[in-house]
Amino acid sequence: MKKGLGDTKEGDFTFSEKVRYTLGGIVILGGSFLIGRKIIKTTRSNNEEDKSFDEDSIPTYAKQVKMALHNDGWYGADTVQLRTVITEIPSQQVFEKVIKSYDKMNNGSMMKDMSSELDTTEYNEMLSIIHSKPKKEGETVDMSVKYDDWAKRLKAAFSKTYGPVSVTDRDALKAVLNEIPTQADWAGVGKAYIQLYNTNLDSDLSGNLHFWEVSDYTGIIKAKPQE
């Protein structure tokens, strides 16, 4: 006598039971894969965190970037600390390694986090800082590149906004003024500024500060060697 589709011997599985067990196995395997993947990511993240205790290591830079972006839970990033960290990174090559370390440590994207936590002028400032660095440690950067990047950072500092209100980012402004090594370099930045924005740097500097502040900021430049 022929068996129907649902007929089985004792101990055999019916067709529907086989389907259920097969699907259940797929679900279990899929869940195990996802759990295993999460464990691997967590392990990698923890290992990268452990490396951040080495001073001036790439994971340390990555950890400091994360802390500056998180800002102890306060609204907005700690741009002063972030600027300091980005400035200390010695080359574009090292910066790329910091990005990879950050992504591994946080299971996310460093550049995406920066773009979401910073406003446009702050983000552009950080990019300009990186762009002015040598490709690799020990290489030199042409001063014309630095002039352009300093000019862009100054413009970003003048263009910061809080909602509809335009304000000058004085911390960013001072950071640039302190980096420019000589009065001759300041003149070079001024030429780059005119080429980029078709306006005078000295005029924009005084025009974006209160009159009682101007001498303090111009004094930073005047105190530098002429060449």
Side-chain angles (χ1 to χ4, degrees):
M1 180 178 180
K2 293 183 179 180
K3 293 182 180 179
L5 187 62
D7 296 334
T8 61
K9 295 180 180 179
E10 186 178 354
D12 289 343
F13 292 111
T14 65
F15 176 77
S16 60
E17 287 174 333
K18 289 179 179 179
V19 171
R20 286 200 299 270
Y21 282 120
T22 301
L23 291 176
I26 292 172
V27 170
I28 292 172
L29 288 173
S32 299
F33 172 77
L34 293 175
I35 292 171
R37 185 178 178 185
K38 184 175 182 180
I39 290 172
I40 291 171
K41 284 186 175 181
T42 301
T43 302
R44 287 177 177 173
S45 175
N46 291 339
N47 289 340
E48 203 69 13
E49 285 270 6
D50 291 341
K51 297 176 186 176
S52 69
F53 287 100
D54 298 330
E55 187 177 356
D56 295 330
S57 70
I58 287 171
T60 298
Y61 288 131
K63 180 69 173 181
Q64 289 173 338
V65 169
K66 179 63 176 180
M67 292 172 67
L69 292 175
H70 185 258
N71 195 16
D72 291 330
W74 289 93
Y75 175 78
D78 184 345
T79 53
V80 174
Q81 178 59 26
L82 181 61
R83 183 183 301 112
T84 299
V85 176
I86 298 296
T87 301
E88 288 176 353
I89 295 173
S91 68
Q92 294 181 32
Q93 185 182 57
V94 171
F95 182 73
E96 291 174 357
K97 293 179 180 179
V98 172
I99 292 176
K100 292 179 181 178
S101 177
Y102 181 103
D103 294 354
K104 186 186 298 183
M105 188 182 297
N106 300 287
N107 294 323
S109 167
M110 175 174 149
M111 299 310 294
K112 183 178 180 180
D113 287 350
M114 284 178 61
S115 65
S116 64
E117 293 295 334
L118 302 174
D119 64 28
T120 301
T121 57
E122 292 168 341
Y123 185 75
N124 288 340
E125 177 195 0
M126 302 307 163
L127 293 182
S128 293
I129 293 174
I130 293 301
H131 185 257
S132 65
K133 296 181 182 297
K135 298 287 186 183
K136 299 179 180 179
E137 290 185 74
E139 295 182 350
T140 57
V141 179
D142 191 88
M143 288 305 293
S144 64
V145 174
K146 291 191 174 184
Y147 291 162
D148 280 351
D149 286 317
W150 278 324
K152 290 175 183 177
R153 289 172 60 188
L154 288 167
K155 184 64 174 178
F158 297 147
S159 305
K160 186 176 178 63
T161 58
Y162 286 105
V165 181
S166 179
V167 296
T168 298
D169 188 336
R170 286 160 172 77
D171 289 326
L173 178 57
K174 281 186 177 180
V176 179
L177 296 181
N178 286 326
E179 285 180 29
I180 296 172
T182 68
Q183 294 183 41
D185 290 319
W186 173 255
V189 176
K191 291 178 181 178
Y193 193 90
I194 290 175
Q195 291 178 345
L196 288 168
Y197 306 111
N198 197 31
T199 185
N200 183 272
L201 175 56
D202 290 309
S203 297
D204 278 5
L205 177 62
S206 58
N208 283 281
L209 296 169
H210 299 300
F211 71 89
W212 63 83
E213 297 177 300
V214 174
S215 60
D216 291 336
Y217 287 82
T218 57
I220 297 175
I221 296 298
K222 291 177 180 179
K224 297 180 184 293
Q226 292 189 350
E227 294 183 358

